[in-house]
Amino acid sequence: MPLTTYWAEHAWLDSYVEPGVALDVRDGRIVAVRTGVGAPEPGAVALRGLTLPGLANTHSHAFHRALRGTVQVGSGTFWTWREVMYQVSSRLTPETYHALARAVYAEMALAGITAVGEFHYLHHGPGGVPYADPNAMGEALIAAAADAGIRITLLDTAYLSSGFGKAPDTHQLRFSDKTADAWAERAALLKDGDQVRIGAAVHSVRAVPAAQLETVAAWASARRAPLHVHLSEQTAENDACRAAHGVTPTRLLADHGVLGPRTTGVHNTHLTGEDIALIGSTGTGTCMCPTTERDLADGIGPAAALQRAGSPLSLGSDSHAVIDLLEEARAMELNERLRTRTRGHWTAAALLRAATGDGHAALGWEEAGRLETGALADFTTVALDSVRTAGPVARLAAETAVFAATSADVRDTVVAGRHVVRAGTHTLVPDVASALAEAITGLRA
């Protein structure tokens, strides 16, 4: 394959901003990083602004994007929001899910996201009847990511019950494989690809009976695959778990072998000191989703304490109230400021690592998320001359990106060396807004 050179006006090289960096790319990987290149060389593709490793959206539910705006009317709680979500999920088919997810993943590419962790539990047809291809819905998501030009880790999710000791309700029949063994048999049919990784997920301790947690954990362990779990997002879940098992959800997961360095707890909001110590001591990751957590009035999780205990942090857009990983990074810091009334819990570099390298690692893409020789050629460029970012000196470009920029400032996104977003335009889905509108309107018809 021919060599392609991308010239970055400024590049973030893990902990500092370097001007004039040439990224030589071949076969989807960075083969050289050359500094001190003051201007684009003949034939090089110029990236004006700050070039970062591609952003990793560690936690996504693609179909929740159809709820944006709709669920902002009136008041309520997570549980009333969930009822609206169920209504949308009931209308999806493999074809309509592909159309929606393709548009959602294209929106992510426009926001500088090069890999998504799709927490996928909408497996079956109406009434829980399997499709002829039992993974038709998951394959639709994989195809959608390919069509939008980004990587995907499909976190195929075990969702077996509606609560401790309760059968799935009418809406949840589409989610359930009935047993963890049946889930494992179906999930085993999914295959990794060049831009696809298959992982596993426990929806929550309320959705997978305790006796079946080990089956899911063993499936992921045998494949050395990522394993994710919604954890303590709501105090009601904690209360119900204590009532059923006499322990917190974190302790229950630990007792059944779910925690560990390939596991990521999503939200980790309402934790005890013992919970935090368990998560940290096992190297279990934490994915914070601040825009969703505040949108659903979930609360502010102890991200700083978790990281101090040894839990790597990553970020996700979850319900897609917005799709903006720079906002997620900013929000994690600002939430902690509100909680503690002190400033400066993470540097801009630490927040960028959560959004890039640590997020990719949580999704099983350890070779992505950094600008260095041998890494996957996945990167994105943020404008430094917009109305939001103009003014600061270039050496503060990382701080500018994290604390001032938004997804609207992303100009270029490259995945596996392919220029997926060029000058703010998606090269595979030219009119992303229309694609979103058409897919979402179709679900209301």
Side-chain angles (χ1 to χ4, degrees), residues 267-321:
H267 304 302
N268 292 3
T269 306
H270 302 286
L271 303 177
T272 67
E274 181 189 9
D275 291 339
I276 293 170
L278 272 173
I279 291 168
S281 65
T282 56
T284 300
T286 295
C287 177
M288 303 300 292
C289 305
T291 65
T292 290
E293 289 150 6
R294 66 193 183 196
D295 182 56
L296 297 181
D298 287 342
I300 299 171
L306 283 160
Q307 188 172 54
R308 286 194 298 270
S311 179
L313 299 180
S314 57
L315 298 163
S317 64
D318 193 2
S319 69
H320 312 314

Side-chain angles (χ1 to χ4, degrees), residues 159-166 178-180 202 204-216 245 252 256:
Y159 194 134
L160 309 175
S161 64
S162 66
F164 299 95
K166 298 179 181 178
K178 298 184 174 60
T179 69
V202 170
S204 57
V205 293
R206 68 179 186 274
V208 178
Q212 299 186 59
L213 289 169
E214 291 178 23
T215 299
V216 184
H245 297 288
L252 188 69
H256 290 274

Side-chain angles (χ1 to χ4, degrees), residues 44 172 241 345:
Q172 295 161 346
C241 187
H345 302 275

Side-chain angles (χ1 to χ4, degrees), residues 17-155:
V17 175
E18 179 76 19
V21 176
L23 302 170
D24 294 330
V25 174
R26 179 181 282 122
D27 295 332
R29 289 188 179 262
I30 299 172
V31 296
V33 177
R34 296 181 286 120
T35 59
V37 183
E41 298 162 338
V45 180
L47 302 174
R48 301 284 178 180
L50 175 66
T51 296
L52 306 166
L55 306 177
N57 190 354
T58 308
H59 188 67
S60 162
H61 301 291
F63 75 89
H64 290 189
R65 174 63 178 82
L67 300 172
R68 188 183 295 177
T70 302
V71 292
Q72 312 306 330
V73 178
S75 60
T77 65
F78 167 87
W79 306 102
T80 54
W81 169 89
R82 189 176 71 161
E83 291 305 311
V84 181
M85 180 269 288
Y86 284 160
Q87 294 299 322
V88 172
S89 71
S90 70
R91 302 185 189 112
L92 285 162
T93 67
E95 293 74 24
T96 59
Y97 206 5
H98 173 268
L100 176 60
R102 171 180 173 269
V104 173
Y105 296 154
E107 182 182 358
M108 290 184 192
L110 288 174
I113 293 164
T114 56
V116 59
E118 184 61 37
F119 199 101
H120 166 56
Y121 55 82
L122 184 52
H123 301 304
H124 306 299
V129 178
Y131 290 102
D133 173 358
N135 285 307
M137 296 295 268
E139 295 290 356
L141 292 165
I142 291 170
D147 290 345
I150 69 172
R151 301 183 194 274
I152 186 170
T153 297
L154 188 74
L155 298 158

Side-chain angles (χ1 to χ4, degrees), residues 169-248:
D169 67 21
T170 300
H171 296 297
Q172 295 161 346
L173 290 174
R174 295 194 70 180
F175 310 159
S176 179
D177 290 294
K178 298 184 174 60
T179 69
D181 286 336
W183 165 83
E185 183 178 352
R186 180 187 50 73
L189 300 174
L190 293 160
K191 303 300 180 187
D192 289 347
D194 289 342
Q195 292 191 199
V196 180
R197 298 279 160 86
I198 305 301
V202 170
H203 179 273
S204 57
V205 293
R206 68 179 186 274
V208 178
Q212 299 186 59
L213 289 169
E214 291 178 23
T215 299
V216 184
W219 188 97
S221 178
R223 291 160 175 77
R224 303 188 62 80
L227 174 61
H228 289 211
V229 54
H230 289 133
L231 180 55
S232 289
E233 182 179 3
Q234 295 290 322
T235 55
E237 176 183 284
N238 291 353
D239 295 342
C241 187
R242 286 193 181 95
H245 297 288
V247 296
T248 66

Side-chain angles (χ1 to χ4, degrees), residues 197 224 226 261-262 357 360-370 375-376:
R197 298 279 160 86
R224 303 188 62 80
R262 282 193 300 276
H360 280 94
L363 296 177
W365 295 99
E366 290 84 358
E367 66 273 49
R370 55 194 182 275
L376 293 174

